[in-house]
Amino acid sequence: MGNSRSSNNQHHADLFRRHPRNPLISAADWPYPVNSVFNAGATLLQDGTTLLLCRVEDRKGHSHLCAARSENGLDSWNIDPRPTLEPDPVNYPEELWGIEDPRITYLPELRKYAIAYCAYSRGGPSVSLVLTEDFKSFERCGNIMPPENKDAALFPRRFNGLWALVHRPVGPIGAHVWISFSPDMRHWGGHKLILAARRGGWWDANRIGLSPPPIETPRGWLMLYHGVRRTAAGCIYRLGVALFDLGDPTRCTKRGDHWLLGPETEYERFGDVGNVVFPCGHTLGPDGDTLSLYYGGADSCLAVATASVREILEWLDAHGRDYGEPAGKPPGVSQMEWDAETM
Ligand code: BMA
C-alpha cells in the first residue's frame, strides 16, 4: 500500500485504499517548468478518458489550471503543453493572485461541465465559475461568492428549478459548509448553513470545507469534506463524510464522527505544506460503486485512493451520527444549534 504507518490503522475501517503507484503526478512530470501540481478536479469524459484539471503553481507562487488526460486514470498522462485555464486579472481582477482548487460537475441539462474554483483576489480567496464543453474553450460566469469563500462545487441538476452550489464562507466563528441557490448561475441566494465545523478537540473543529463535488447515491448525496485540525506543529487536513437528502440537499441525514483518510504516507506528510490530503475530484467506475478519489498530497503532488460507495454508506449506518431527532433535543431547536451546544 506504500503506507508507512498502516500498522497504526489496523483497528480502523480501511475504506480508502491508496494506489501503489502513488504519487501519480508531480512537477517532474510537467511539460513546462512549474513548482508543484496538486488539488485536481476530475471527471470522466464521454469516451471514458479520465481528465484531471490540476492546480499548477508556478515560481511566482501563483496557480493556474492545466488538464491531464489518461485512459485508465492512473498512468500515461497526456498533459496539455501549456496552461489550460489561466488567471485573467485584466478582465477578472479577483484572479489577481491566481486560480486554485477546481471542482468539476457535469451538467446533463446543458451538456457542459461547470468548474467552480477559488479566485485569489486582493480581498482574499473567492469563488468563481466557468463552463466548458471540451476543456479547450471556456465561458466565464465570473465571481459568484465574494471573499472569504472557497471549496465550492455545483450539484449536477436543479432543485425546484434552481441550481445549487456548496461553498465555504469564513466567518468570525468558524468556517462551515453552506449551500446557495440560483436561477441563472450568476445571482445567488437562499443561503443556508448545512454542515457545521465541530468545536474543541474534534478532528474537524473550527474549519471544514467540501472536498470533491457531492456524490449522488440511492441513499442521498454523499459529501466528503475536509476538516482542519490546528496543532502546535501546524494544521492537519483530513477527510470525513456526511450524507444529505436526495431531494433536499440542505438536509444532513448522517455524519461520521471519525475521519476516513488522513496524511500518513511520505507524499502526504512532507511537501510544501505537510500533513495535507486535499481531494477536489472523483470519478465513479463502470460498476457504479468504485470511487476513485484524486487528492493533493502535501500541496506538492497528486495521488489517488479508491473506495466503495456501498461500503462508505454501510460504515455510516454502523458508525454515523443520525441527524433525525435524537433523544434530548428540545423541539424547535435545530440539529445544528443542538450540536453546537453538545459537541
Ligand atoms: C487550503 C487550500 C488548499 C490547500 C490547503 C493546505 O486552505 O488553500 O488549496 O491544499 O489549504 O495548504
Side-chain angles (χ1 to χ4, degrees), residues 47-79:
D47 65 358
T49 302
T50 298
L51 180 140
L52 297 185
L53 193 60
C54 309
R55 171 176 172 187
V56 179
E57 192 186 274
D58 62 24
R59 281 205 177 187
K60 287 183 296 184
H62 300 178
S63 293
H64 60 267
L65 309 182
C66 190
R69 296 169 177 82
S70 155
E71 273 179 28
N72 62 8
L74 290 173
D75 55 20
S76 305
W77 293 97
N78 185 354
I79 301 168

Side-chain angles (χ1 to χ4, degrees), residues 24 55 60 64 73 81 90-91 105 109 112 133 192 230-231 234 261 266 283 288-289 321 331 333:
L24 296 184
R55 171 176 172 187
K60 287 183 296 184
H64 60 267
V90 172
N91 297 306
T105 306
E109 179 187 327
K112 290 178 183 171
E133 286 175 43
K192 192 173 174 196
R230 288 207 177 103
T231 78
L261 183 74
E266 257 188 59
T283 58
D289 184 60
R321 189 179 287 261
V333 175

Side-chain angles (χ1 to χ4, degrees), residues 81 214 226 234 283-284:
H226 58 266
T283 58
L284 201 57

Side-chain angles (χ1 to χ4, degrees), residues 277-298:
V277 295
F278 202 90
C280 290
H282 68 267
T283 58
L284 201 57
D287 61 1
D289 184 60
T290 306
L291 195 69
S292 293
L293 185 72
Y294 291 92
Y295 63 98

Side-chain angles (χ1 to χ4, degrees), residues 39 55 101 150 237 273 276 278 299:
N39 301 5
R55 171 176 172 187
D101 301 355
K150 50 166 69 173
Y237 280 71
V273 184
V276 176
F278 202 90
D299 283 10

Side-chain angles (χ1 to χ4, degrees), residues 62-326:
H62 300 178
S63 293
H64 60 267
L65 309 182
C66 190
R69 296 169 177 82
S70 155
E71 273 179 28
N72 62 8
L74 290 173
D75 55 20
S76 305
W77 293 97
N78 185 354
I79 301 168
D80 280 358
R82 280 176 293 281
T84 308
L85 186 66
E86 289 194 274
D88 178 6
V90 172
N91 297 306
Y92 299 90
E94 66 278 2
E95 298 185 359
L96 180 66
W97 292 325
I99 57 177
E100 309 175 347
D101 301 355
R103 291 170 174 89
I104 305 171
T105 306
Y106 182 67
L107 310 175
E109 179 187 327
L110 305 184
R111 297 203 187 144
K112 290 178 183 171
Y113 300 88
I115 307 162
Y117 58 93
C118 172
Y120 197 173
S121 76
R122 205 176 275 282
S126 60
V127 177
S128 290
L129 191 68
V130 81
L131 300 176
T132 185
E133 286 175 43
D134 53 10
F135 293 90
K136 289 184 179 122
S137 61
F138 297 89
E139 188 187 322
R140 272 177 152 94
C141 305
N143 201 232
I144 55 169
M145 291 288 161
E148 182 176 343
N149 203 321
K150 50 166 69 173
D151 302 329
L154 221 57
F155 281 85
R157 59 166 184 272
R158 302 178 194 238
F159 299 90
N160 299 322
L162 300 174
W163 298 105
L165 182 89
V166 178
H167 57 106
R168 203 287 304 275
V170 176
I173 41 176
H176 314 289
V177 178
W178 287 63
I179 195 168
S180 300
F181 296 91
S182 170
D184 58 6
M185 294 193 201
R186 265 71 173 178
H187 305 92
W188 293 87
H191 314 297
K192 192 173 174 196
L193 195 163
I194 56 169
L195 194 70
R198 287 181 265 215
R199 303 199 292 195
W202 283 91
W203 69 273
D204 57 354
N206 306 319
R207 192 173 273 254
I208 59 171
L210 175 75
S211 276
I215 301 159
E216 188 167 6
T217 79
R219 298 272 310 280
W221 298 96
L222 206 55
M223 186 193 288
L224 298 170
Y225 70 94
H226 58 266
V228 186
R229 174 89 188 256
R230 288 207 177 103
T231 78
C235 290
I236 308 177
Y237 280 71
R238 301 183 175 112
L239 191 74
V241 64
L243 191 65
F244 290 80
D245 187 274
L246 213 46
D248 175 8
T250 67
R251 203 168 73 81
C252 181
T253 53
K254 279 197 180 283
R255 181 179 192 169
D257 280 350
H258 296 177
W259 72 80
L260 299 181
L261 183 74
E264 294 179 5
T265 64
E266 257 188 59
Y267 55 86
E268 296 161 350
R269 300 197 62 218
F270 305 104
D272 279 1
V273 184
N275 289 318
V276 176
V277 295
F278 202 90
C280 290
H282 68 267
T283 58
L284 201 57
D287 61 1
D289 184 60
T290 306
L291 195 69
S292 293
L293 185 72
Y294 291 92
Y295 63 98
D299 283 10
S300 296
C301 64
L302 270 166
V304 69
T306 53
S308 152
V309 171
R310 181 183 43 77
E311 281 179 24
I312 297 174
L313 291 170
E314 283 169 6
W315 180 85
L316 263 178
D317 280 338
H319 305 284
R321 189 179 287 261
D322 211 336
Y323 271 56
E325 293 294 317

